[in-house]
Amino acid sequence: MGRSLKAEVKVAVQGKILNPNKEKRHKLNVVLEKYLKAVKFFASFKIKDKDLLQQKAYEEARRRFGLSSTLTQTARDKAVELVKANEGREFHVHEVSMRVNYRAFKLVRRDTKLTPYWLYLKLDGDGVWYPVQFGERQRQMIVDALSDDGEWSLQQVELVKRDGEWYAYFTLEKPFKDFEPQTPIGIDLGERNFATVMALVDGKPTKGTFFKGSRIKEVRHRHFNIRKKLQEKRRLDVFKRLRGRERRIVNHELHVISKEIVEYAKQFPSPVLVMEKLTGIRENFRRGKKLNRRFHSLPFRKLQKMVEYKAKLEGIKVRYVNPKNTSKTCHRCGYVTHVEGREYRCPKCGLKYNRDLNASINVARALTRGTGRGYVNTPKGR
């Protein structure tokens, strides 16, 4: 497999700021408004280089908006990220999270009834303490980050205002442990089987597993028909509530599937999860109208992001490969042919194999062939 892999794991841990009083809430709102204006100002230059943007606009931004040097710099960074993401296209900044780096915040534990976690923010003038509440899993990671011998370290916090409530997203970082990846695990995504997973142990396919995503397909199909009727009746209020419910169900199913995929990977020595780049996957799928709609409704990229996140937490590498011909190539002899039906049949060597399992083997082998494109430092029948 080649050289050992070195990278840093970064994850975001959400905490909720608990009922800040009127004065504290006002301070957050005022600074957020200034920050949004600063990001818009920096973005108006359409410059992708931080140093150049610093020279062109930093002093003027400090004078106009009165933000601290730390917040002005992170507003500059946000603007550069937006300009790069839009690649020259016109865009408008309507809202933005407020990024605070290590120089302007700290998180500590205190023995209080309200919460043991308190966030100190120096946003404008004097610093202010805010109580923060974490969920169980998030709390475990925060405890590790605050301990002297923990693996995780706190890097920055993003402050987000949503539906009148404030949330803090802490970026935690830890180094990946060096290892020689031994077991590539291919993940093929498709319409019949939402995800098909196959490990290569000593180069041999082992323990293929299907994740059908039946609940996701069912919910998406049912809600599509209901939404269509609601739009015809102009019931947008019901439409929005329904869309929120659909999103929650789908996200739950994606969490379950991604967790099970990572658990599958953990049973093998030094695993690396291999997934296809999704560029062109929807454009290349051409079937009947109903099947096309069902395929395009499947959240493939969202599943990949969840797999990435959960793999990071377990110290498992994720790599993306070129998807060319992974579904058309015979994994035994390498012959490329057109595939019909659910079975892959090779006219050269006579192989008969489940087409999705065949594709997942080819995805895994793409890593050993060197067709990958870099590491990301982004049970059956479901």
Side-chain angles (χ1 to χ4, degrees):
M1 290 291 294
R3 59 185 176 84
S4 63
L5 312 174
K6 295 183 179 180
E8 291 177 336
V9 188
K10 288 187 178 180
V11 297
V13 174
Q14 176 187 297
K16 182 179 181 181
I17 297 178
L18 293 174
N19 303 321
N21 62 33
K22 186 176 180 180
E23 182 180 348
K24 291 182 178 182
R25 189 181 295 274
H26 177 72
K27 182 180 283 289
L28 286 172
N29 290 333
V30 169
V31 177
L32 178 63
E33 185 177 353
K34 292 180 182 179
Y35 192 83
L36 176 59
K37 290 178 180 178
V39 173
K40 288 181 178 178
F41 171 71
F42 279 122
S44 68
F45 288 80
K46 298 182 179 179
I47 294 176
K48 298 180 182 179
D49 183 82
K50 291 180 183 179
D51 293 334
L52 180 57
L53 187 56
Q54 177 84 1
Q55 296 173 15
K56 293 274 188 181
Y58 177 79
E59 293 300 332
E60 177 64 17
R62 285 294 307 273
R63 185 187 66 79
R64 282 195 188 192
F65 308 112
L67 292 170
S68 67
S69 59
T70 297
L71 288 180
T72 304
Q73 288 170 5
T74 63
R76 174 205 64 193
D77 296 346
K78 285 266 185 182
V80 169
E81 291 166 10
L82 286 168
V83 172
K84 287 181 177 179
N86 286 276
E87 288 295 335
R89 298 188 298 271
E90 289 295 324
F91 65 94
H92 301 283
V93 184
H94 299 295
E95 57 183 24
V96 69
S97 60
M98 185 161 51
R99 182 177 300 164
V100 184
N101 64 25
Y102 66 93
R103 291 180 293 175
F105 88 92
K106 61 182 176 182
L107 184 68
V108 301
R109 296 190 70 178
R110 289 180 174 176
D111 187 15
T112 62
K113 290 183 179 180
L114 180 61
T115 176
Y117 301 99
W118 289 80
L119 173 64
Y120 175 82
L121 296 172
K122 192 170 185 180
L123 302 177
D124 188 11
D126 296 331
V128 179
W129 289 96
Y130 293 89
V132 181
Q133 184 180 57
F134 295 100
E136 178 58 34
R137 181 159 188 175
Q138 291 80 8
R139 186 161 57 248
Q140 293 174 6
M141 297 177 66
I142 291 295
V143 168
D144 182 272
L146 295 180
S147 65
D148 293 334
D149 56 351
E151 288 187 296
W152 295 98
S153 62
L154 283 167
Q155 300 298 312
Q156 64 184 28
V157 60
E158 298 264 355
L159 301 174
V160 178
K161 185 180 181 182
R162 187 168 64 244
D163 298 329
E165 301 287 349
W166 281 91
Y167 299 86
Y169 289 82
F170 296 89
T171 298
L172 273 58
E173 183 180 285
K174 73 174 179 179
F176 261 131
K177 296 177 181 178
D178 292 347
F179 69 92
E180 292 284 347
Q182 298 176 18
T183 312
I185 298 169
I187 303 175
D188 177 67
L189 303 177
E191 191 280 325
R192 174 66 67 90
N193 293 307
F194 184 39
T196 304
V197 184
M198 178 73 86
L200 298 185
V201 178
D202 297 326
K204 298 179 180 179
T206 305
K207 295 183 180 179
T209 303
F210 299 98
F211 300 87
K212 296 188 178 298
S214 304
R215 177 69 170 147
I216 294 174
K217 298 171 190 174
E218 173 195 333
V219 168
R220 284 280 168 95
H221 177 68
R222 185 173 72 249
H223 282 69
F224 170 81
N225 292 325
I226 297 174
R227 283 198 306 269
K228 189 175 180 181
K229 293 178 181 178
L230 289 172
Q231 286 176 315
E232 291 173 354
K233 296 178 180 179
R234 300 182 183 276
R235 291 300 308 274
L236 295 181
D237 55 334
V238 181
F239 173 82
K240 289 180 180 179
R241 289 200 303 272
L242 185 70
R243 185 170 57 184
R245 182 175 181 274
E246 176 188 3
R247 187 185 303 115
R248 288 190 295 274
I249 294 173
V250 170
N251 284 344
H252 171 75
E253 292 298 310
L254 291 174
H255 278 297
V256 172
I257 293 172
S258 57
K259 181 179 178 180
E260 291 177 352
I261 289 174
V262 173
E263 287 297 318
Y264 170 90
K266 287 167 62 178
Q267 68 183 300
F268 300 103
S270 302
V272 54
L273 287 166
V274 189
M275 296 189 282
E276 294 177 314
K277 288 184 174 182
L278 293 181
T279 306
I281 185 174
R282 300 192 187 280
E283 291 79 1
N284 295 331
F285 188 87
R286 294 288 184 270
R287 300 292 190 275
K289 183 177 180 181
K290 184 176 180 180
L291 196 57
N292 280 340
R293 175 175 58 76
R294 194 164 80 170
F295 178 83
H296 294 311
S297 73
L298 292 173
F300 296 121
R301 183 55 187 150
K302 198 163 190 176
L303 175 66
Q304 287 187 334
K305 296 297 288 184
M306 289 189 181
V307 169
E308 283 180 24
Y309 180 81
K310 290 177 173 59
K312 286 178 182 179
L313 294 179
E314 299 293 342
I316 296 173
K317 301 289 190 300
V318 175
R319 198 171 185 182
Y320 286 92
V321 297
N322 190 326
K324 184 177 180 181
N325 289 336
T326 52
S327 62
K328 298 179 181 180
T329 302
C330 173
H331 78 263
R332 186 163 71 183
C333 72
Y335 189 77
V336 178
T337 187
H338 184 68
V339 183
E340 293 286 351
R342 299 307 308 160
E343 187 176 59
Y344 182 92
R345 299 187 179 189
C346 179
K348 184 177 181 180
C349 72
L351 174 74
K352 294 182 180 180
Y353 215 79
N354 178 278
R355 64 180 295 170
D356 296 333
L357 288 175
N358 180 71
S360 64
I361 295 169
N362 287 326
V363 171
R365 285 188 174 158
L367 180 65
T368 63
R369 291 198 305 268
T371 57
R373 294 294 185 269
Y375 282 87
V376 175
N377 286 342
T378 19
K380 302 181 183 178
R382 286 202 65 88

